[in-house]
Amino acid sequence: MPSTALTAIGTLVTNDPALGDGPLGLRRDAAVVFEDETVVWVGDSAAAPAADTGVDLGGRAVLPGFVESHAHLVFAGDRAEEFAARMAGRPYAAGGIRTTIAATRAASDDALAANLARLFDESVRAGSTTVECKSGYGQTVADELRSVRIAGRFTGEVTLLAAHVPPPEYAGRADDYVAMVIAEMIPRCAPHARWIDVFCEQGAFDRDQAHAVLSAGIEHGLVPRVHGNQLHQGPGVRLAVELGAASVDHVAHVSPADIDALAGSDTVATLLPGADFCTRNSYPPARALIDAGVTVALGADCNPGTSYTTSLPFCIALAVRELHMTPDEAVWAATAGGAKALRRTDIGRLTPGARADAIALGAPSHLHLAYRPGVPLIDRVWRAGAVVHAGLPR
Ligand code: NIG
Ligand code: FE
């Protein structure tokens, strides 16, 4: 089994408090050893065991690969004009999704897969070593089926976003659309997905419709996650908690009762500040959520409508500047938090037994991710022990 030793790490984020300081389990002058696809040793650089390959990090920071738990990457076209109009004052509404539905339905499988490959590659170069991927721009049985199949070529974390917005042929008939989703779409698509998602929002699906779709998904073995409370206060957060969803995502407009419900649950609040940035939406009350004890993840929410970015470093900077998270909290949320949102214990940490997914920064500590916004600091990325991105030598 090939082994790799990363030595002379300036700051190592392990996300294991037993291995170092604070919730990030920080160690200085550290080393990590991978064997094949797995982390087998973490300790002081001076004590690192020999390995087939040695990588001297020269004081750079190393952290677990980012876990992107919210991405919409199966689509065609873009909505740059809609973005420009929004920046000129037009508000964002759920209906913009139909523009991308039309483009996606018209695209070939090859074109969709090529776009997905491009965005996966972009995500890896931004440090994401796990990427969840949603369907949702087909909204017919055939188009959702090909969307989840294509997503499955790239990731095991496939989400059937069966009810994103009622498509044009169901205009004014959302209940009929939901009935079709339950009778036909979920049974056909569930074998190709792990998660079921729904957009519970004004102009998309109401509580009862969302409940019906998620319950049907659960009956077919899928685990729920919810787009909730993005644009308005509404029932999304409480529905997610009630159904034991893995996460409720966006959480920008919440009441104290929503925060209490989340705090007493296992549902992760996944914050997507890139979407709030690109829609001039309010940012989620991250401080109130964290201080209440809610588990928070950060996602980039890459999609052509509200957040056309794959960059979790950008979202970490936003989380610190705009959501008042500490840099440590933001880094945790983009790594361990994302892993919790995906109910994974093998990723989001650098501890013996974890998958060897790691990032080396062109900087001495993880603080620089927020401190140097917009600077491409992702120097090198390993996924399952293999180098999947190598930046310029410095
Ligand atoms: O996460 N909110 C729903 N879905 C996406 C936006 C989709 C779109 O506008 O195309 C989101 O923001
Ligand atoms: Fe989304």
Side-chain angles (χ1 to χ4, degrees), residues 70 72 134 227 250 301:
H70 188 129
H72 306 247
K134 301 175 196 299
H227 278 74
H250 285 290
D301 190 17

Side-chain angles (χ1 to χ4, degrees), residues 93-357:
I97 295 167
R98 292 194 191 92
T99 307
T100 303
I101 289 176
T104 304
R105 287 178 177 180
S108 67
D109 287 8
D110 284 351
L112 293 176
N115 198 38
L116 189 40
R118 175 182 70 87
L119 292 168
F120 251 81
D121 185 54
E122 200 178 276
S123 302
V124 167
R125 284 185 276 119
S128 295
T129 47
T130 300
V131 180
E132 180 259 15
C133 185
K134 301 175 196 299
S135 67
Y137 290 116
Q139 307 288 274
T140 65
V141 175
D143 286 301
E144 290 299 314
L145 184 58
R146 71 189 183 119
S147 295
V148 288
R149 280 188 157 146
I150 291 167
R153 294 188 213 161
F154 294 84
T155 180
E157 301 295 350
V158 176
T159 300
L160 175 63
L161 178 44
H164 199 181
V165 78
E169 62 278 17
Y170 282 91
R173 296 192 298 127
D175 281 334
D176 292 345
Y177 178 72
V178 166
M180 183 282 286
V181 164
I182 292 169
E184 296 172 43
M185 186 187 289
I186 290 175
R188 289 287 303 283
C189 297
H192 306 280
R194 179 171 181 219
W195 309 99
I196 179 84
D197 195 351
V198 64
F199 187 17
C200 184
E201 181 59 66
Q202 293 176 27
F205 296 93
D206 67 21
R207 186 208 170 275
D208 290 350
Q209 292 160 347
H211 184 278
V213 169
L214 296 171
S215 301
I218 292 168
E219 272 172 34
H220 283 82
L222 304 178
V223 182
R225 41 200 332 115
V226 180
H227 278 74
N229 301 58
Q230 176 180 5
L231 306 173
H232 306 93
Q233 286 205 13
V237 165
R238 269 157 296 159
L239 177 62
V241 170
E242 185 187 320
L243 291 177
S247 69
V248 55
D249 303 39
H250 285 290
V251 195
H253 298 268
V254 286
S255 66
D258 292 326
I259 296 176
D260 284 351
L262 277 169
S265 79
D266 289 333
T267 300
V268 173
T270 298
L271 311 185
L272 308 169
D276 306 314
F277 176 86
C278 293
T279 56
R280 293 222 173 97
N281 192 22
S282 319
Y283 287 107
R287 275 267 56 87
L289 290 161
I290 292 170
D291 294 346
V294 176
T295 301
V296 163
L298 268 181
D301 190 17
C302 181
N303 77 81
T306 61
S307 187
Y308 203 5
T309 179
T310 46
S311 175
L312 274 164
F314 170 62
C315 296
I316 288 170
L318 283 180
V320 172
R321 172 63 178 81
E322 301 291 341
L323 278 61
H324 301 269
M325 291 169 68
T326 66
D328 282 17
E329 286 168 343
V331 166
W332 189 92
T335 52
K340 280 199 185 291
L342 294 176
R343 297 199 170 158
R344 296 275 299 268
T345 54
D346 58 329
I347 55 176
R349 61 196 176 91
L350 284 172
T351 61
R355 199 170 79 177
D357 291 357

Side-chain angles (χ1 to χ4, degrees), residues 47-125:
D52 301 325
T53 306
V55 182
D56 183 331
L57 270 303
R60 289 175 207 176
V62 168
L63 54 157
F66 297 129
V67 179
E68 173 56 87
S69 63
H70 188 129
H72 306 247
L73 305 182
V74 192
F75 65 86
D78 70 43
R79 282 153 54 200
E81 302 298 332
E82 180 190 310
F83 173 78
R86 197 158 62 234
M87 293 303 107
R90 194 197 295 165
Y92 174 76
I97 295 167
R98 292 194 191 92
T99 307
T100 303
I101 289 176
T104 304
R105 287 178 177 180
S108 67
D109 287 8
D110 284 351
L112 293 176
N115 198 38
L116 189 40
R118 175 182 70 87
L119 292 168
F120 251 81
D121 185 54
E122 200 178 276
S123 302
V124 167
R125 284 185 276 119

